[in-house]
């Protein structure tokens, strides 16, 4: 029963619509998929409506958070939330704030690029995003490709979009402890995404993981394409030490990344445990057409 618990659709920075994403999953033989768009649950409805018979949809989110790095500074943390009540008022308000923050930041980055004579149509870019979707740097990467400035998303990041680069602007993300509290209060479970993906920038120290486990974090995403074998060993040991569940997932983004859906997976018993610990919203099962 292949289970992939981290994917992105056009509701954030993936290139497949929720319906296309589920078709890609079915084609790859994945029967359980979590839709985890950045800072939005707006794709859940389309995904549920398009769910092929026999497949299971795990409603989720990947929440943009900020954390102490455990060395006196701060770093970005992505928190996966699953099976929470999407109408929880605190959560709805904070995610709406984050999406507004994302649009404002993308507009400012695009304006800086336009000032440097990069051919970016800022307003057209923002107008083309679906309602309640999350704007991100991959959208700017696509605009640079469309304008013929770069050939690939990777090149766009390397030359224009990487953290700390000329056009990069930070966002005001949610403190990770707050996001854990909000998802837990809404009946969901939480898994820290790609915690040791060191190529993306600074990452949390083991002590921070211990502290977040004390505050209710449910699991660690260990098997992720951005984790090398050493990072996986380290994270598996930390998970065992602090009683955290171990998940695996592809972080599929359609053609914005080269990973394939189902490339990394979560074990059946771990998935059952995540479901058993959540009360906010059920796993959705595709009914056979009658
Ligand atoms: P943002 O959310 O706007 O800060 O952009 C971060 C997103 O960009 C991540 O969620 C990834 O999907 C994507 N990303 C980051 N680095 C790269 C890269 N080198 N190539 C392709 N996509 C990337
Ligand atoms: Fe992304
Ligand atoms: Fe992420
Ligand atoms: Zn992701």
């Amino acid at each position: 029963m292949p289970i992939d618990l981290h994917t992105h659709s056009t509701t954030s920075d993936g290139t497949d619509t929720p319906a296309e994403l589920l078709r890609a999953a079915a084609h790859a033989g994945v029967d359980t998929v979590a839709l985890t768009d950045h800072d939005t649950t707006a794709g859940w409805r389309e995904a549920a409506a398009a769910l092929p018979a026999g497949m299971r949809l795990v409603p989720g989110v990947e929440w943009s958070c900020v954390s102490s790095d455990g060395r006196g500074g701060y770093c970005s943390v992505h928190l996966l939330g699953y099976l929470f009540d999407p109408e929880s008022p605190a959560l709805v308000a904070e995610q709406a704030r984050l999406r507004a923050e994302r649009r404002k930041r993308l507009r400012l980055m695009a304006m800086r690029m336009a000032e440097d004579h990069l051919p970016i149509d800022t307003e057209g870019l923002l107008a083309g995003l679906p309602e309640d979707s999350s704007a991100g740097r991959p959208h700017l990467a696509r605009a640079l490709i469309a304008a013929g400035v770069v050939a690939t998303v990777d090149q766009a990041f390397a030359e224009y979009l990487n953290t700390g680069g000329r056009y990069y602007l930070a966002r005001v993300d949610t403190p990770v402890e707050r996001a854990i509290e909000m998802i837990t209060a809404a009946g969901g479970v939480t898994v820290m995404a790609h915690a040791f993906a060191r190529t993306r920038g600074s990452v949390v120290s083991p002590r921070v993981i211990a502290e977040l486990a004390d505050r209710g974090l449910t699991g660690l995403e260990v098997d992720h394409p951005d984790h090398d074998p050493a990072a996986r060993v380290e994270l598996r040991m930390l998970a065992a030490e602090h009683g955290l569940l171990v998940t695996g997932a592809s972080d599929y983004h359609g053609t914005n990344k080269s990973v394939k859906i189902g490339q990394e997976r979560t074990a059946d018993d771990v998935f059952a445990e995540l479901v058993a610990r959540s009360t906010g919203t059920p796993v959705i099962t595709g009914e056979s057409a009658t």
Side-chain angles (χ1 to χ4, degrees):
M1 301 282 272
I3 300 169
D4 189 339
L5 294 183
H6 185 167
T7 69
H8 296 266
S9 74
T10 46
T11 313
S12 63
D13 55 4
T15 57
D16 288 1
T17 62
E20 288 165 349
L21 186 150
L22 292 170
R23 277 201 291 279
H27 190 72
V30 174
D31 64 8
T32 304
V33 183
L35 181 65
T36 54
D37 280 307
H38 298 286
D39 309 321
T40 183
T41 58
W44 290 12
R45 186 194 300 257
E46 181 186 331
L51 193 61
M55 272 185 75
R56 295 184 295 186
L57 172 68
V58 184
V61 74
E62 184 176 20
W63 198 319
S64 307
C65 297
V66 59
S67 171
S68 150
D69 63 6
R71 294 176 293 272
Y74 292 90
C75 68
S76 165
V77 162
H78 288 180
L79 185 74
L80 295 162
Y82 301 112
L83 301 169
F84 54 90
D85 173 6
E87 290 173 6
S88 162
L91 188 144
V92 166
E94 177 60 5
Q95 296 200 346
R97 185 194 69 76
L98 279 173
R99 291 194 299 276
E101 175 86 8
R102 281 178 164 277
R103 274 177 162 68
K104 184 179 80 182
R105 175 257 207 161
L106 210 72
R107 175 178 273 119
L108 289 172
M109 285 182 70
M111 282 165 60
R112 283 193 180 187
M113 295 172 118
E115 278 169 16
D116 270 3
H117 308 293
L118 288 165
I120 298 280
D121 169 13
T122 308
E123 295 313 314
L125 177 74
L126 288 160
L129 298 176
E131 198 183 338
D132 287 338
S133 70
S134 282
R137 282 178 281 166
H139 294 104
L140 281 174
R142 289 267 149 202
L144 289 169
I145 294 171
V149 177
V150 293
T152 64
V153 174
D154 272 349
Q155 189 190 353
F157 269 86
E159 294 180 11
Y160 296 98
L161 301 172
N162 266 340
T163 305
R166 176 171 169 77
Y167 303 104
Y168 178 75
L169 289 171
R171 291 184 308 256
V172 180
D173 289 339
T174 310
V176 66
E177 301 84 356
R178 259 309 274 148
I180 291 173
E181 264 170 36
M182 283 191 271
I183 290 179
T184 308
V189 287
T190 51
V191 171
M192 193 188 284
H194 48 71
F196 284 175
R198 297 190 171 95
T199 55
R200 295 173 179 228
S202 78
V203 302
V204 294
S205 71
R207 190 161 58 79
V208 173
I209 291 177
E211 285 166 9
L212 295 178
D214 281 346
R215 285 174 171 264
L217 180 70
T218 318
L220 291 176
E221 185 183 54
V222 174
D223 293 314
H224 181 282
D226 291 358
H227 285 157
D228 61 20
R232 295 180 195 217
V233 168
E234 261 181 287
L235 283 167
R236 242 178 257 285
M237 282 168 47
L238 284 167
E241 191 178 339
H242 303 297
L244 295 165
L245 298 178
V246 167
T247 70
S250 66
D251 203 355
Y252 177 72
H253 278 69
T255 58
N256 274 345
K257 286 190 182 173
S258 58
V259 295
K260 296 189 170 45
I261 200 160
Q263 181 177 317
E264 310 267 5
R265 297 167 181 187
T266 295
D268 289 348
D269 60 331
V270 171
F271 177 62
E273 190 60 32
L274 289 170
V275 174
R277 293 192 200 181
S278 54
T279 55
T281 205
V283 174
I284 302 166
T285 304
E287 306 290 338
S288 49
T290 47

